[in-house]
Amino acid sequence: VQCNYNCYLVTSRSMKEETICQIDQLKLNKYFSRIIITEQNKFEGYSQIPNLILIVGDTENDIIPANELGVKSYAVTTGIRSSKFLANYSPTYLSKSLENLINYI
């Protein structure tokens, strides 16, 4: 069974123009249906996404909005947060990599 999903990037940055330049330089636009840049709280960014089913992230700023919105979260320890730290926020899934993400969609 093949499934198609719309992927959105929600990022929290204080310098929006620099973030847009970085996204362009990394050529990330082609991977996402939409890119949402928020000042701090990602909840508002995530709440703009229709039919949201899963939030993937590496900080509490991704897990907390997922819990508040009642959607699943896939927390990865590829960023600055440890497994133990992220587990405190009760993500649906907790992993050391994105490798197994496809198994949870």
PDB file of all heavy atoms in Angstrom, residues 41-44 46-47 52 55 60-73 89-90:
ATOM      1  N   ASN A  41       6.632  29.979  20.044  1.00  0.00           N
ATOM      2  CA  ASN A  41       5.713  28.879  20.299  1.00  0.00           C
ATOM      3  C   ASN A  41       5.305  28.206  18.989  1.00  0.00           C
ATOM      4  O   ASN A  41       4.690  28.824  18.130  1.00  0.00           O
ATOM      5  CB  ASN A  41       4.486  29.401  21.040  1.00  0.00           C
ATOM      6  CG  ASN A  41       3.564  28.303  21.497  1.00  0.00           C
ATOM      7  OD1 ASN A  41       3.649  27.167  21.043  1.00  0.00           O
ATOM      8  ND2 ASN A  41       2.684  28.628  22.412  1.00  0.00           N
ATOM      9  N   LYS A  42       5.612  26.944  18.846  1.00  0.00           N
ATOM     10  CA  LYS A  42       5.280  26.218  17.622  1.00  0.00           C
ATOM     11  C   LYS A  42       3.818  25.787  17.564  1.00  0.00           C
ATOM     12  O   LYS A  42       3.342  25.370  16.518  1.00  0.00           O
ATOM     13  CB  LYS A  42       6.172  24.979  17.482  1.00  0.00           C
ATOM     14  CG  LYS A  42       7.612  25.309  17.151  1.00  0.00           C
ATOM     15  CD  LYS A  42       8.366  24.020  16.913  1.00  0.00           C
ATOM     16  CE  LYS A  42       9.773  24.269  16.453  1.00  0.00           C
ATOM     17  NZ  LYS A  42      10.468  22.999  16.206  1.00  0.00           N
ATOM     18  N   PHE A  43       3.088  25.895  18.669  1.00  0.00           N
ATOM     19  CA  PHE A  43       1.692  25.478  18.699  1.00  0.00           C
ATOM     20  C   PHE A  43       0.898  26.145  17.580  1.00  0.00           C
ATOM     21  O   PHE A  43       0.151  25.489  16.862  1.00  0.00           O
ATOM     22  CB  PHE A  43       1.054  25.789  20.054  1.00  0.00           C
ATOM     23  CG  PHE A  43      -0.398  25.410  20.126  1.00  0.00           C
ATOM     24  CD1 PHE A  43      -0.777  24.129  20.453  1.00  0.00           C
ATOM     25  CD2 PHE A  43      -1.386  26.347  19.825  1.00  0.00           C
ATOM     26  CE1 PHE A  43      -2.122  23.766  20.497  1.00  0.00           C
ATOM     27  CE2 PHE A  43      -2.727  25.994  19.868  1.00  0.00           C
ATOM     28  CZ  PHE A  43      -3.089  24.707  20.205  1.00  0.00           C
ATOM     29  N   GLU A  44       1.052  27.453  17.431  1.00  0.00           N
ATOM     30  CA  GLU A  44       0.306  28.175  16.399  1.00  0.00           C
ATOM     31  C   GLU A  44       0.670  27.690  15.002  1.00  0.00           C
ATOM     32  O   GLU A  44      -0.180  27.585  14.135  1.00  0.00           O
ATOM     33  CB  GLU A  44       0.518  29.672  16.528  1.00  0.00           C
ATOM     34  CG  GLU A  44      -0.228  30.243  17.706  1.00  0.00           C
ATOM     35  CD  GLU A  44      -0.327  31.750  17.658  1.00  0.00           C
ATOM     36  OE1 GLU A  44      -0.334  32.325  16.555  1.00  0.00           O
ATOM     37  OE2 GLU A  44      -0.407  32.333  18.743  1.00  0.00           O
ATOM     38  N   TYR A  46       1.844  24.649  14.157  1.00  0.00           N
ATOM     39  CA  TYR A  46       1.284  23.308  13.965  1.00  0.00           C
ATOM     40  C   TYR A  46      -0.235  23.353  13.807  1.00  0.00           C
ATOM     41  O   TYR A  46      -0.803  22.569  13.058  1.00  0.00           O
ATOM     42  CB  TYR A  46       1.660  22.389  15.121  1.00  0.00           C
ATOM     43  CG  TYR A  46       3.089  21.933  15.109  1.00  0.00           C
ATOM     44  CD1 TYR A  46       3.925  22.134  16.204  1.00  0.00           C
ATOM     45  CD2 TYR A  46       3.624  21.284  14.001  1.00  0.00           C
ATOM     46  CE1 TYR A  46       5.241  21.701  16.197  1.00  0.00           C
ATOM     47  CE2 TYR A  46       4.941  20.855  13.982  1.00  0.00           C
ATOM     48  CZ  TYR A  46       5.743  21.066  15.087  1.00  0.00           C
ATOM     49  OH  TYR A  46       7.045  20.636  15.070  1.00  0.00           O
ATOM     50  N   SER A  47      -0.893  24.268  14.504  1.00  0.00           N
ATOM     51  CA  SER A  47      -2.357  24.332  14.434  1.00  0.00           C
ATOM     52  C   SER A  47      -2.844  24.816  13.067  1.00  0.00           C
ATOM     53  O   SER A  47      -4.024  24.678  12.754  1.00  0.00           O
ATOM     54  CB  SER A  47      -2.917  25.201  15.558  1.00  0.00           C
ATOM     55  OG  SER A  47      -2.486  26.541  15.413  1.00  0.00           O
ATOM     56  N   LEU A  52      -3.473  17.168  10.484  1.00  0.00           N
ATOM     57  CA  LEU A  52      -2.198  16.839  11.114  1.00  0.00           C
ATOM     58  C   LEU A  52      -2.310  15.505  11.849  1.00  0.00           C
ATOM     59  O   LEU A  52      -3.227  15.303  12.643  1.00  0.00           O
ATOM     60  CB  LEU A  52      -1.802  17.956  12.091  1.00  0.00           C
ATOM     61  CG  LEU A  52      -0.488  17.832  12.836  1.00  0.00           C
ATOM     62  CD1 LEU A  52       0.686  17.857  11.851  1.00  0.00           C
ATOM     63  CD2 LEU A  52      -0.341  18.975  13.838  1.00  0.00           C
ATOM     64  N   ILE A  55       3.738  14.736  14.506  1.00  0.00           N
ATOM     65  CA  ILE A  55       4.761  15.777  14.603  1.00  0.00           C
ATOM     66  C   ILE A  55       6.080  15.093  14.902  1.00  0.00           C
ATOM     67  O   ILE A  55       6.186  14.309  15.839  1.00  0.00           O
ATOM     68  CB  ILE A  55       4.423  16.802  15.695  1.00  0.00           C
ATOM     69  CG1 ILE A  55       3.173  17.599  15.307  1.00  0.00           C
ATOM     70  CG2 ILE A  55       5.613  17.733  15.950  1.00  0.00           C
ATOM     71  CD1 ILE A  55       2.690  18.573  16.362  1.00  0.00           C
ATOM     72  N   GLU A  60      11.353  19.586  23.179  1.00  0.00           N
ATOM     73  CA  GLU A  60      10.062  19.682  23.857  1.00  0.00           C
ATOM     74  C   GLU A  60       9.119  20.640  23.120  1.00  0.00           C
ATOM     75  O   GLU A  60       7.902  20.552  23.238  1.00  0.00           O
ATOM     76  CB  GLU A  60      10.241  20.103  25.321  1.00  0.00           C
ATOM     77  CG  GLU A  60      10.790  21.498  25.528  1.00  0.00           C
ATOM     78  CD  GLU A  60      12.310  21.627  25.413  1.00  0.00           C
ATOM     79  OE1 GLU A  60      13.001  20.694  24.959  1.00  0.00           O
ATOM     80  OE2 GLU A  60      12.811  22.692  25.792  1.00  0.00           O
ATOM     81  N   ASN A  61       9.677  21.559  22.345  1.00  0.00           N
ATOM     82  CA  ASN A  61       8.867  22.514  21.584  1.00  0.00           C
ATOM     83  C   ASN A  61       8.102  21.856  20.446  1.00  0.00           C
ATOM     84  O   ASN A  61       7.285  22.497  19.793  1.00  0.00           O
ATOM     85  CB  ASN A  61       9.743  23.643  21.043  1.00  0.00           C
ATOM     86  CG  ASN A  61      10.328  24.473  22.158  1.00  0.00           C
ATOM     87  OD1 ASN A  61       9.673  24.684  23.177  1.00  0.00           O
ATOM     88  ND2 ASN A  61      11.548  24.924  21.993  1.00  0.00           N
ATOM     89  N   ASP A  62       8.380  20.594  20.189  1.00  0.00           N
ATOM     90  CA  ASP A  62       7.622  19.811  19.215  1.00  0.00           C
ATOM     91  C   ASP A  62       6.661  18.859  19.931  1.00  0.00           C
ATOM     92  O   ASP A  62       5.529  18.677  19.505  1.00  0.00           O
ATOM     93  CB  ASP A  62       8.571  19.007  18.322  1.00  0.00           C
ATOM     94  CG  ASP A  62       9.533  19.903  17.575  1.00  0.00           C
ATOM     95  OD1 ASP A  62       9.066  20.731  16.782  1.00  0.00           O
ATOM     96  OD2 ASP A  62      10.754  19.790  17.802  1.00  0.00           O
ATOM     97  N   ILE A  63       7.100  18.267  21.007  1.00  0.00           N
ATOM     98  CA  ILE A  63       6.288  17.280  21.726  1.00  0.00           C
ATOM     99  C   ILE A  63       5.112  17.930  22.445  1.00  0.00           C
ATOM    100  O   ILE A  63       3.987  17.425  22.390  1.00  0.00           O
ATOM    101  CB  ILE A  63       7.150  16.482  22.732  1.00  0.00           C
ATOM    102  CG1 ILE A  63       8.285  15.769  21.997  1.00  0.00           C
ATOM    103  CG2 ILE A  63       6.299  15.482  23.498  1.00  0.00           C
ATOM    104  CD1 ILE A  63       9.362  15.238  22.913  1.00  0.00           C
ATOM    105  N   ILE A  64       5.348  19.044  23.099  1.00  0.00           N
ATOM    106  CA  ILE A  64       4.274  19.714  23.845  1.00  0.00           C
ATOM    107  C   ILE A  64       3.120  20.104  22.929  1.00  0.00           C
ATOM    108  O   ILE A  64       1.956  19.793  23.238  1.00  0.00           O
ATOM    109  CB  ILE A  64       4.817  20.910  24.648  1.00  0.00           C
ATOM    110  CG1 ILE A  64       5.735  20.414  25.773  1.00  0.00           C
ATOM    111  CG2 ILE A  64       3.684  21.762  25.213  1.00  0.00           C
ATOM    112  CD1 ILE A  64       6.515  21.512  26.492  1.00  0.00           C
ATOM    113  N   PRO A  65       3.369  20.772  21.785  1.00  0.00           N
ATOM    114  CA  PRO A  65       2.243  21.085  20.895  1.00  0.00           C
ATOM    115  C   PRO A  65       1.526  19.829  20.386  1.00  0.00           C
ATOM    116  O   PRO A  65       0.302  19.838  20.240  1.00  0.00           O
ATOM    117  CB  PRO A  65       2.884  21.845  19.737  1.00  0.00           C
ATOM    118  CG  PRO A  65       4.138  22.397  20.286  1.00  0.00           C
ATOM    119  CD  PRO A  65       4.594  21.388  21.304  1.00  0.00           C
ATOM    120  N   ALA A  66       2.267  18.761  20.123  1.00  0.00           N
ATOM    121  CA  ALA A  66       1.628  17.517  19.689  1.00  0.00           C
ATOM    122  C   ALA A  66       0.648  17.032  20.762  1.00  0.00           C
ATOM    123  O   ALA A  66      -0.497  16.681  20.458  1.00  0.00           O
ATOM    124  CB  ALA A  66       2.682  16.449  19.392  1.00  0.00           C
ATOM    125  N   ASN A  67       1.095  17.025  22.000  1.00  0.00           N
ATOM    126  CA  ASN A  67       0.226  16.603  23.098  1.00  0.00           C
ATOM    127  C   ASN A  67      -0.983  17.524  23.221  1.00  0.00           C
ATOM    128  O   ASN A  67      -2.106  17.061  23.427  1.00  0.00           O
ATOM    129  CB  ASN A  67       1.003  16.569  24.418  1.00  0.00           C
ATOM    130  CG  ASN A  67       2.052  15.470  24.435  1.00  0.00           C
ATOM    131  OD1 ASN A  67       1.994  14.528  23.666  1.00  0.00           O
ATOM    132  ND2 ASN A  67       3.031  15.609  25.307  1.00  0.00           N
ATOM    133  N   GLU A  68      -0.769  18.843  23.093  1.00  0.00           N
ATOM    134  CA  GLU A  68      -1.865  19.807  23.206  1.00  0.00           C
ATOM    135  C   GLU A  68      -2.865  19.666  22.056  1.00  0.00           C
ATOM    136  O   GLU A  68      -4.059  19.887  22.245  1.00  0.00           O
ATOM    137  CB  GLU A  68      -1.314  21.230  23.247  1.00  0.00           C
ATOM    138  CG  GLU A  68      -0.563  21.537  24.532  1.00  0.00           C
ATOM    139  CD  GLU A  68       0.129  22.891  24.524  1.00  0.00           C
ATOM    140  OE1 GLU A  68       0.236  23.529  23.450  1.00  0.00           O
ATOM    141  OE2 GLU A  68       0.572  23.317  25.602  1.00  0.00           O
ATOM    142  N   LEU A  69      -2.384  19.319  20.879  1.00  0.00           N
ATOM    143  CA  LEU A  69      -3.252  19.168  19.709  1.00  0.00           C
ATOM    144  C   LEU A  69      -3.846  17.765  19.585  1.00  0.00           C
ATOM    145  O   LEU A  69      -4.673  17.509  18.719  1.00  0.00           O
ATOM    146  CB  LEU A  69      -2.471  19.514  18.430  1.00  0.00           C
ATOM    147  CG  LEU A  69      -2.105  20.988  18.278  1.00  0.00           C
ATOM    148  CD1 LEU A  69      -1.064  21.173  17.191  1.00  0.00           C
ATOM    149  CD2 LEU A  69      -3.352  21.816  17.993  1.00  0.00           C
ATOM    150  N   GLY A  70      -3.394  16.859  20.439  1.00  0.00           N
ATOM    151  CA  GLY A  70      -3.923  15.500  20.420  1.00  0.00           C
ATOM    152  C   GLY A  70      -3.460  14.673  19.239  1.00  0.00           C
ATOM    153  O   GLY A  70      -4.183  13.799  18.767  1.00  0.00           O
ATOM    154  N   VAL A  71      -2.231  14.944  18.764  1.00  0.00           N
ATOM    155  CA  VAL A  71      -1.674  14.153  17.661  1.00  0.00           C
ATOM    156  C   VAL A  71      -0.438  13.402  18.151  1.00  0.00           C
ATOM    157  O   VAL A  71       0.160  13.752  19.168  1.00  0.00           O
ATOM    158  CB  VAL A  71      -1.320  15.018  16.428  1.00  0.00           C
ATOM    159  CG1 VAL A  71      -2.565  15.686  15.879  1.00  0.00           C
ATOM    160  CG2 VAL A  71      -0.261  16.028  16.733  1.00  0.00           C
ATOM    161  N   LYS A  72      -0.054  12.396  17.426  1.00  0.00           N
ATOM    162  CA  LYS A  72       1.120  11.601  17.786  1.00  0.00           C
ATOM    163  C   LYS A  72       2.396  12.416  17.588  1.00  0.00           C
ATOM    164  O   LYS A  72       2.453  13.303  16.743  1.00  0.00           O
ATOM    165  CB  LYS A  72       1.186  10.337  16.930  1.00  0.00           C
ATOM    166  CG  LYS A  72       0.056   9.377  17.192  1.00  0.00           C
ATOM    167  CD  LYS A  72       0.150   8.176  16.294  1.00  0.00           C
ATOM    168  CE  LYS A  72      -1.024   7.239  16.552  1.00  0.00           C
ATOM    169  NZ  LYS A  72      -0.957   6.049  15.709  1.00  0.00           N
ATOM    170  N   SER A  73       3.406  12.051  18.373  1.00  0.00           N
ATOM    171  CA  SER A  73       4.710  12.705  18.224  1.00  0.00           C
ATOM    172  C   SER A  73       5.798  11.642  18.107  1.00  0.00           C
ATOM    173  O   SER A  73       5.723  10.585  18.727  1.00  0.00           O
ATOM    174  CB  SER A  73       4.993  13.625  19.412  1.00  0.00           C
ATOM    175  OG  SER A  73       4.970  12.903  20.630  1.00  0.00           O
ATOM    176  N   TYR A  89       8.480  14.413  28.493  1.00  0.00           N
ATOM    177  CA  TYR A  89       7.365  15.087  27.829  1.00  0.00           C
ATOM    178  C   TYR A  89       6.377  14.110  27.188  1.00  0.00           C
ATOM    179  O   TYR A  89       5.449  14.523  26.516  1.00  0.00           O
ATOM    180  CB  TYR A  89       7.887  16.096  26.805  1.00  0.00           C
ATOM    181  CG  TYR A  89       8.614  17.219  27.501  1.00  0.00           C
ATOM    182  CD1 TYR A  89       9.991  17.166  27.687  1.00  0.00           C
ATOM    183  CD2 TYR A  89       7.919  18.305  28.022  1.00  0.00           C
ATOM    184  CE1 TYR A  89      10.659  18.171  28.362  1.00  0.00           C
ATOM    185  CE2 TYR A  89       8.575  19.314  28.693  1.00  0.00           C
ATOM    186  CZ  TYR A  89       9.942  19.245  28.858  1.00  0.00           C
ATOM    187  OH  TYR A  89      10.595  20.242  29.541  1.00  0.00           O
ATOM    188  N   SER A  90       6.587  12.832  27.399  1.00  0.00           N
ATOM    189  CA  SER A  90       5.684  11.767  26.942  1.00  0.00           C
ATOM    190  C   SER A  90       5.404  11.767  25.443  1.00  0.00           C
ATOM    191  O   SER A  90       4.245  11.789  25.012  1.00  0.00           O
ATOM    192  CB  SER A  90       4.359  11.834  27.708  1.00  0.00           C
ATOM    193  OG  SER A  90       4.571  11.762  29.086  1.00  0.00           O
TER     194      SER A  90
END
